[in-house]
Amino acid sequence: MANTKYVFVTGGVASSLGKGIISASLAKLLQSRGYSVTIQKLDPYINVDPGTLNPYEHGECYVTEDGAETDLDLGHYERFINIHTSQMNNVTTGRIYQTVISKERHGDYLGKTVQVIPHITDEIKRRIKLIGTKNQLDVVITEIGGTVGDIESLPYIEAVRQLRWELGPSNSAFVHLTLVPYLSASSELKTKPTQHSVKVLLENGIQPDVVVLRTEHDISADIRRKVSLFCNVDPDAVVQSIDVKTIYEVPLLMQQEKLDSIVLRKLALPINEEPKLEAWRNFVTTLKNPHHHVKVGMVGKYVELPDAYKSIMEAFVHAGAANSCKVELRLIQSEGLTPDSYAEQLADLNAILVAPGFGHRGLEGKILAVRYAREHKVPFLGICLGMQCAVSEFARNLLGLAEANSSEMVDTTPHPVIDLMDSQKEVADMGGTMRLGAYPCTLKEGSLARDAYGRAEIHERHRHRYEFNSAYAEQFERAGMVPTGINPATNLVEVVELTGHPWFVGVQFHPEYKSTVLNPHPLFVSLVKAAMERAGV
Ligand code: GLN
């Protein structure tokens, strides 16, 4: 059995420094040297999962193959290292407490007072170790959400402090990411916040092995020495992470900084092979030097916070590179599309995507966007709610069902062309109860989707409660909207397409979750191709 080693990644000074990207980059480098690796995110909030959080609060909810609703960092992990993550890869305080409290009710701790230490910390440690041993991995990288010093992350910091000693020497490494601010008035980079943040870690009993400095300017050898001296880390273990144009450059930069070798040294693992990064390098080169350019409009209601659509945006980056094409993504607030203005607002787009979502706000704008794409033959991809909008639009404007709608929006609609799934009718709890995770789908011969995927059987991830109402299927098909993807077990309609349109696809699933650097998603690749044709490039 593999002797799994553990890397813990913490952050200091400020949030949003990019711990997820650093963790994913390190994982990528270790993987490219032949190590089996995964990444886990510990989130210190009390929600059991982010599934019920508004995207404005927390960005996108990322769905894994096994149907876990997780933090968007897991999307980065999958996109970088091309593996499937699972429920085990994202643990929240809510989930930890839920487990401990149900054990308490079950009587597992009879006679004992249940406390943060040891019961909560033990459960945290159990979940960290489990992911490594269950999958027999060489290295598990565990990212601790939040910033050191936060009240909420204390039990996590304590748990990994204990774990370091339990695992024994050379079996764990601590990477601490901080910010080195630049004061333009005095043209100086400042290390004091880093020193303070490492002090907070030390107060909690953790000496970092590596300090990664986020910075807008090059960090001089002097500054590195200073950080090394004040933070008790080897001078070569002070690593700079300078701002770059694309997150996909970060693994290459981290390799230049030798982050992977330093961590392997701490873990007493051989630094044998050179990392195999050919394909990654080629991807970054094409990404930075595209030959073509298209404009794609993404219509949604959370556009003020682009993180709400992280996976879709990244899927366009991958698909753009696959076509050597820069995809200029314009985020369009669906509430701003009105019957008077929409045609003008959408006029110069080479493709339109209508995004997933919940609830009525902005719905009519999305339906107008579908109408524009259908009537003007603009390549169109509707994802989940976006597909449902395409169905409602078609029913209203081509089937003569003026009040057609999803029963999610108007439960008294006379034409519920999108309706609650039977399996959802008895559901009372909101958390984790949607149709979630990967399901098979069979694609119809000759369809656009089948062409794009190059095969008939696919598996895609879902997150919804409503579905295409098959009572209307024949009517749709006769008028030119054809179900081209069907779930073989339940007959649910997963894909619809329009005849007589160059590229119009609605999918009930979320293709964006499965797009990675090395496997750009076929539907996005095909959509970008169609956009290029439309643009005449
Ligand atoms: N609100 C819709 C449903 O529940 C669509 C969900 C989504 O877009 N993810 O079916």
Side-chain angles (χ1 to χ4, degrees):
M1 195 161 115
N3 170 25
T4 307
K5 311 239 175 183
Y6 293 83
V7 178
F8 302 109
V9 180
T10 52
V13 180
S15 57
S16 307
L17 292 182
K19 280 199 300 287
I21 302 295
I22 293 292
S23 304
S25 300
L26 175 60
K28 176 77 211 164
L29 293 175
L30 298 181
Q31 189 191 48
S32 72
R33 287 181 181 276
Y35 289 105
S36 61
V37 51
T38 195
I39 320 173
Q40 179 185 44
K41 171 102 191 256
L42 306 181
D43 271 316
Y45 52 73
I46 295 172
N47 302 64
V48 171
D49 60 43
T52 54
L53 286 174
N54 185 321
Y56 283 128
E57 288 267 322
H58 196 255
E60 168 185 280
C61 173
Y62 185 78
V63 178
T64 58
E65 205 70 0
D66 64 341
E69 296 179 289
T70 70
D71 185 78
L72 58 75
D73 270 335
L74 273 79
H76 289 310
Y77 306 163
E78 292 206 3
R79 290 187 280 273
F80 274 57
I81 58 175
N82 213 31
I83 58 155
H84 287 162
T85 56
S86 73
Q87 182 65 74
M88 284 204 286
N89 294 72
N90 193 193
V91 176
T92 67
T93 294
R95 200 169 284 278
I96 298 281
Y97 272 80
Q98 194 182 44
T99 309
V100 170
I101 291 171
S102 64
K103 277 190 185 167
E104 187 273 336
R105 292 290 78 185
H106 185 248
D108 293 8
Y109 311 115
L110 279 185
K112 290 271 177 258
T113 308
V114 180
Q115 294 179 299
V116 172
I117 301 170
H119 301 99
I120 296 298
T121 45
D122 280 356
E123 178 58 18
I124 296 172
K125 289 191 289 183
R126 188 183 71 80
R127 285 178 182 262
I128 296 172
K129 286 189 287 193
L130 186 66
I131 193 168
T133 48
K134 192 151 185 198
N135 302 309
Q136 305 219 353
L137 297 168
D138 296 322
V139 182
V140 173
I141 298 175
T142 296
E143 178 193 343
I144 299 177
T147 309
V148 293
D150 292 350
I151 291 175
E152 318 191 301
S153 48
L154 273 176
Y156 293 97
I157 301 285
E158 170 59 15
V160 297
R161 184 197 67 76
Q162 294 176 10
L163 208 48
R164 155 168 273 183
W165 298 112
E166 287 169 23
L167 291 167
S170 307
N171 285 328
S172 68
F174 280 79
V175 176
H176 188 55
L177 174 66
T178 73
L179 175 70
V180 175
Y182 179 74
L183 296 189
S184 46
S186 55
S187 311
E188 269 183 307
L189 286 164
K190 291 300 199 185
T191 64
K192 195 72 83 188
T194 297
Q195 297 176 36
H196 279 295
S197 141
V198 169
K199 240 176 226 145
V200 175
L201 263 185
L202 287 167
E203 278 166 18
N204 290 304
I206 290 174
Q207 166 64 55
D209 298 303
V210 184
V211 177
V212 179
L213 306 174
R214 257 312 284 278
T215 175
E216 290 172 9
H217 297 269
D218 253 315
I219 305 241
S220 66
D222 267 358
I223 295 182
R224 287 182 198 236
R225 265 195 300 276
K226 194 167 165 188
V227 172
S228 153
L229 189 67
F230 284 107
C231 301
N232 322 307
V233 289
D234 297 338
D236 71 346
V238 179
V239 166
Q240 93 167 11
S241 169
I242 198 158
D243 287 1
V244 271
K245 282 218 171 65
T246 146
I247 52 170
Y248 298 108
E249 272 184 88
V250 179
L252 304 178
L253 285 185
M254 287 305 109
Q255 206 231 326
Q256 274 170 27
E257 291 281 319
K258 301 197 167 38
L259 176 64
D260 52 339
S261 322
I262 301 162
V263 167
L264 288 171
R265 195 176 72 213
K266 299 284 172 201
L267 297 176
L269 286 172
I271 312 175
N272 37 22
E273 314 169 30
E274 266 307 292
K276 290 191 188 67
L277 290 167
E278 260 317 278
W280 193 274
R281 268 208 188 90
N282 292 341
F283 165 79
V284 173
T285 309
T286 338
L287 186 61
K288 288 168 79 179
N289 308 286
H291 291 108
H292 312 290
H293 180 236
V294 291
K295 276 188 216 156
V296 177
M298 192 187 67
V299 181
K301 68 173 175 181
Y302 308 113
V303 292
E304 298 81 3
L305 184 76
D307 267 4
Y309 301 110
K310 197 79 204 166
S311 294
I312 294 178
M313 295 168 76
E314 297 306 323
F316 274 120
V317 174
H318 309 152
N323 284 294
S324 190
C325 179
K326 160 132 189 78
V327 177
E328 180 189 329
L329 198 61
R330 196 174 307 156
L331 306 189
I332 300 167
Q333 172 52 264
S334 53
E335 282 182 300
L337 295 175
T338 65
D340 296 335
S341 70
Y342 77 104
E344 204 181 314
Q345 283 172 270
L346 304 173
D348 65 335
L349 299 171
N350 308 125
I352 293 175
L353 182 143
V354 175
F358 294 83
H360 188 263
R361 182 168 73 86
L363 185 85
E364 294 305 319
K366 291 182 177 180
I367 289 185
L368 287 171
V370 176
R371 177 170 194 170
Y372 186 87
R374 181 178 58 75
E375 290 184 341
H376 293 82
K377 303 218 178 320
V378 182
F380 169 85
L381 177 60
I383 299 181
C384 207
L385 179 63
M387 173 263 203
Q388 298 175 354
C389 288
V391 169
S392 294
E393 191 278 331
F394 193 87
R396 291 183 194 180
N397 297 322
L398 287 175
L399 302 184
L401 310 173
E403 289 176 67
N405 214 330
S406 160
S407 51
E408 177 185 4
M409 312 303 164
V410 178
D411 58 6
T412 54
T413 171
H415 303 293
V417 288
I418 300 292
D419 208 0
L420 193 63
M421 280 182 276
D422 283 339
S423 54
Q424 288 287 323
K425 290 192 172 138
E426 303 302 316
V427 168
D429 286 347
M430 295 305 278
T433 54
M434 279 187 252
R435 179 176 181 235
L436 289 166
Y439 285 91
C441 169
T442 308
L443 300 172
K444 206 165 153 182
E445 185 79 53
S447 63
L448 272 171
R450 170 87 175 250
D451 262 17
Y453 282 92
R455 58 179 196 275
E457 302 301 326
I458 57 165
H459 269 80
E460 290 285 5
R461 301 182 195 171
H462 295 252
R463 182 172 188 250
H464 63 119
R465 295 187 200 279
Y466 294 81
E467 59 161 327
F468 179 89
N469 183 345
S470 13
Y472 292 87
E474 263 185 50
Q475 243 179 303
F476 274 84
E477 200 154 349
R478 254 184 277 124
M481 181 172 266
V482 186
T484 58
I486 304 287
N487 178 299
T490 56
N491 273 333
L492 288 184
V493 173
E494 313 280 34
V495 187
V496 294
E497 295 182 23
L498 276 188
T499 50
H501 188 289
W503 208 100
F504 188 107
V505 179
V507 289
Q508 184 57 77
F509 49 76
H510 290 260
E512 70 274 23
Y513 293 142
K514 282 180 100 161
S515 184
T516 72
V517 166
L518 297 182
N519 291 109
H521 196 284
L523 279 180
F524 281 86
V525 174
S526 175
L527 173 65
V528 171
K529 229 177 238 138
M532 288 162 70
E533 271 163 36
R534 168 94 183 171
V537 298

